[in-house]
Amino acid sequence: MKKIILSCSIFFLLFSCKKDTNSTTYKVRYTVTGNNVNQFKITQGITDNYVFTPFSGTKDTTLSMQPGTTLKLDTKATNNNLVGSIYVNDVLKATGADLDTDGDGKTEVKIDYTLQK
């Protein structure tokens, strides 16, 4: 009788602790560094979100995202050094920079990354 109870208990514990793979979310952080930044647009799937601008220096925002989501960062500035990055769970996944090599006084960085399913 003890063996049956012990076996049932182990069976119950194994299957009750099964991880639900659909509940995974990713911590996504977008960062932008530049002078006179006038656009900081984040796109998640088909939804656009704007972070308050204008600013100079570094600004970031962190969101939780579902697996399979396509992430985009589109940022613009009227100066000569702009860097944008996407971090997933604190690991750098995509980055881009515009150093205004054409000398027009305008910089733009567009990057994207798709979260694993």
Side-chain angles (χ1 to χ4, degrees), residues 96-112:
D98 186 348
L99 304 176
D100 191 27
T101 55
D102 60 2
D104 67 353
K106 298 177 183 176
T107 53
E108 180 175 21
V109 174
K110 290 184 176 188
I111 54 176
D112 64 307

Side-chain angles (χ1 to χ4, degrees), residues 13 22 31 52 60 64 68 71 81 85 88 92-93 102 117:
L13 286 173
N22 294 332
T31 65
F52 181 75
D60 66 27
S64 294
L71 313 170
N81 192 7
S85 302
V88 177
L92 179 63
K93 294 296 183 176
D102 60 2
K117 286 189 176 186

Side-chain angles (χ1 to χ4, degrees), residues 21-90:
T21 57
N22 294 332
S23 67
T24 302
T25 59
Y26 292 98
K27 180 177 111 176
V28 178
R29 181 169 50 107
Y30 301 87
T31 65
V32 173
T33 301
N35 292 319
N36 301 319
V37 177
N38 54 27
Q39 178 177 302
F40 185 164
K41 181 172 81 169
I42 298 166
T43 304
Q44 306 135 358
I46 60 170
T47 305
D48 291 338
N49 296 300
Y50 290 87
V51 177
F52 181 75
T53 56
F55 68 89
S56 291
T58 300
K59 191 175 263 197
D60 66 27
T61 189
T62 303
L63 304 165
S64 294
M65 297 288 132
Q66 296 297 317
T69 304
T70 299
L71 313 170
K72 294 180 183 181
L73 174 64
D74 183 3
T75 185
K76 297 178 183 178
T78 55
N79 207 311
N80 63 347
N81 192 7
L82 182 64
V83 178
S85 302
I86 298 174
Y87 293 82
V88 177
N89 293 337
D90 296 321

